[in-house]
Every structure is written in structure tokens, then in C-alpha cells.
Amino acid sequence: MTTDPYLNTHIGLETETVVIFVALAIIAMGIDMWAHRSDKPIALKQAVAWTLFWISIGLGFAGFLYFHFNGEVASLYLAGYLFEQALSVDNLFVMMAIFAWFKVPEKYCHRVLYWGVLGAVVFRMVFVVIGSTLFAMGPVVEIIFALMVAASGFMMLKKHDDEEENKDFSSHLAYKTVRLFIPVFPRIVGHNFFLRKEEVEKELEKPENKTIVLKRSGPWFATPLFLCLAVIETTDVMFAFDSVPAVIAVSREPLIVYSAMIFAVLGLRSMYFVLDAMRQYLVHLEKAVTVLLFFIAFKLGASASLHLFGFGLDISVYTSLAVIAVILSLGIIASFIFPKKK
């Protein structure tokens, strides 16, 4: 008997699923936080192992959805999970440029990413609630979101390879906002985001800091590490304008959307170090992500057109999964067949 996914994918906020999702996320985050409690650079081998750990957690939850509900629910979750992972690639490349501009030592990157991910968990919840509510208003909203996603795709097409690398983040809104409300000490001091006035005075006594002149004073000072975190957090919020509509394009179920995004986001810290090491080889991966954005825009537009005008296309979740896998695979294969010239 053929199963209609639209009749079998409504799970609401089923209590057992919510409890399993929250417990699995908290336990995994606790393990990750305990394992990375010290400030040490993360080697590629270790980063790969942790990336596989987070992928196994994400797939484990997909397995739970499969046995607890059905294959359609699990497939919707997997499609959303893969969309979020794929679209995160461009966001991670931007983060690399931000870390480089702030000259953040590699051993502190994981700490900044950890707090950045916690912020992403909260903001994703807000965006999913707003996005799901807007999508429920009808196909006109789908067209608006399709245009937004397509615009992001065109912006990526126009972006030059060295655009982010040469960007001056001192003009960033988050950078200016932090400096407006709190004094800033211009040197990174350990893994501290903030320094007390007494700590700043001790730092100023060091020979290498004799040339520093502070324009403002106060009981607390922000460090460049906090400025970096603020810029990364703001960048992630902007990134969510693309990723949330993309995942909601697959499923209208808030719990499926949110869980898919969170398990993908939680693994970004480890994936960052893998992509950082492999960036010089995966030169066409961003192009594949751009193609995915246009696919998402087409999917949203075609679905809206079908409901509004009677002609269009509803792309199934299985087709979406296949498209994601093919596009990303082609991007990776092309990177090795047509490497970037040195």
C-alpha cells in the first residue's frame, strides 16, 4: 500500500520525541564540552573523529524517528539535516576569515565556536517559530522566501574568492556595537572574553603593552576574543535567513526542522577544523552550495506556483535527498579533478 507522507509526517510536539531530542543534545554537548575543556589546538585526525561523532548522533536521532514514527518522518529529518550541513559550508568559510582577521590563536577557536553554537541554538529556535508561522500563511510567503534564497545564491555567484579574506571587520555592526557600550582592551589575554579593570592595569604594566593607550575606562573591558564572538554570532544570524527557509522548504513540522538544524549546527565546531585543513582542496564546494540554494529557491517557487496557479511541482523529500547528495558529491569530485591553480 502506498503511504501518503502528508498524512504520516505530522508529529507535533510529541512528548517522548521532545525528551529524547533534548536529552540526546544535552548529553552529546556535555561530552564534547568535557573533552575540549582545555585550550589546545585540534588536530585534523581529532576533528574528523569528532565530526563523525556528531554525524552519528544526528543519524541516531533519524533512526529513532524511523522506528518511532515512519520512514517519511525520518527522511524529512535527514533532508533538513543535510540541507543545514551543506549550507553551513559557506558560513564556516566566513568564520575562517573572521578568525584570521582577529588573529585568534587556533587553541582558542573551539571556545569561541562553542559559545557561538550555543547562541545559534537559541536563535534557530526563534527563527524556526517565526518561519513556520509565516509559511503557514500560504504560498505567497513561499514565493517571498524563494526570492530571498535565490538572491543569496546570486550574491554567492558574485562573490570573489578573496572577498572575505580581505574584508575589514572593524566596520561590522556587531564590532561597532560592542565598542559603543563597553571599553575594549586591544590584545587577546588567554581565553578571556572580558577583563576586570584590575586585570587590565596588570596587563598594561607588561613591557609589550607599554604603547597601548586606552581611550575609555570602566569596571570591565571586552577583549578581541569577545569582539570576534559578537561578529561570528551576528554572521550566523544572517546565515539563518538562508538556512531556515531551506529546511522549512522540506518540512513544515517545527520539531523536525529544529532538531535537524540543531544536530547539524552542534557538529559545526568539529567540521570547522576539518574544512579549515581541507579548504585548499575543496575549492568547488562553495559552488555546489550555491547550486543548492538555487534548487531550494526552485523547490519553494514551484510548490507555491502549484498551489496558487495550478501548475508547478511538489518535489518529494526523496528527490530532495538525492539532489543534495548528487550536488555535494559533484562539488567534491570536481575539486579533485579541477584543483585550484597555485
Side-chain angles (χ1 to χ4, degrees), residues 36 38-48 95-96 98-100 102-114 188 190-191 225 228 269-278:
H36 299 98
S38 58
D39 296 322
K40 293 181 180 178
I42 299 179
L44 177 59
K45 185 177 180 181
Q46 184 185 6
V48 170
M95 289 181 184
M96 292 174 197
I98 295 172
F99 279 130
F102 281 97
K103 297 181 174 60
V104 176
E106 188 180 349
K107 62 182 179 180
Y108 300 140
C109 288
H110 192 278
R111 175 177 169 82
V112 176
L113 289 170
Y114 178 80
I188 292 176
H191 65 211
L225 216 57
C228 178
R269 288 162 296 167
S270 302
M271 189 184 296
Y272 168 87
F273 297 99
V274 176
L275 283 178
D276 192 21
M278 299 293 292

Side-chain angles (χ1 to χ4, degrees), residues 30-106:
I31 294 172
D32 190 301
M33 184 169 62
W34 180 84
H36 299 98
R37 61 191 182 279
S38 58
D39 296 322
K40 293 181 180 178
I42 299 179
L44 177 59
K45 185 177 180 181
Q46 184 185 6
V48 170
W50 277 103
T51 299
L52 293 175
F53 165 78
W54 281 109
I55 291 175
S56 67
I57 295 295
L59 294 180
F61 189 69
F64 164 77
L65 293 176
Y66 179 86
F67 290 106
H68 191 64
F69 294 103
N70 52 55
E72 283 78 16
V73 171
S75 297
L76 287 172
Y77 164 83
L78 283 175
Y81 178 81
L82 288 177
F83 263 136
E84 180 69 20
Q85 287 277 30
L87 296 177
S88 297
V89 169
D90 186 58
N91 197 35
L92 290 176
F93 285 153
V94 175
M95 289 181 184
M96 292 174 197
I98 295 172
F99 279 130
W101 191 85
F102 281 97
K103 297 181 174 60
V104 176
E106 188 180 349

Side-chain angles (χ1 to χ4, degrees), residues 259-338:
S259 59
M261 298 188 77
I262 293 309
F263 282 125
V265 166
L266 289 176
L268 291 186
R269 288 162 296 167
S270 302
M271 189 184 296
Y272 168 87
F273 297 99
V274 176
L275 283 178
D276 192 21
M278 299 293 292
R279 185 178 186 180
Q280 61 179 318
Y281 304 107
L282 301 177
V283 293
H284 297 298
L285 192 56
E286 282 188 279
K287 296 182 180 67
V289 174
T290 304
V291 174
L292 268 184
L293 283 173
F294 285 118
F295 169 71
I296 295 164
F298 173 76
K299 175 178 169 61
L300 286 168
S303 175
S305 176
L306 182 64
H307 296 123
L308 279 174
F309 310 114
F311 63 90
L313 185 66
D314 260 331
I315 301 175
S316 71
V317 62
Y318 300 108
T319 302
S320 297
L321 279 170
V323 170
I324 297 169
V326 170
I327 290 175
L328 291 179
S329 298
L330 288 175
I332 295 172
I333 293 171
S335 297
F336 289 97
I337 296 177
F338 308 103

Side-chain angles (χ1 to χ4, degrees), residues 137-148:
M137 295 173 66
V140 174
V141 177
E142 288 186 77
I143 293 178
I144 294 173
F145 276 100
L147 293 173
M148 289 173 58

Side-chain angles (χ1 to χ4, degrees), residues 163-183:
E163 186 175 314
E164 292 295 341
E165 294 177 7
N166 299 324
K167 187 172 181 179
D168 182 2
F169 290 98
S170 63
S171 60
H172 196 281
L173 176 62
Y175 185 96
K176 290 183 175 181
T177 303
V178 172
R179 294 184 67 90
L180 180 65
F181 289 100
I182 186 170

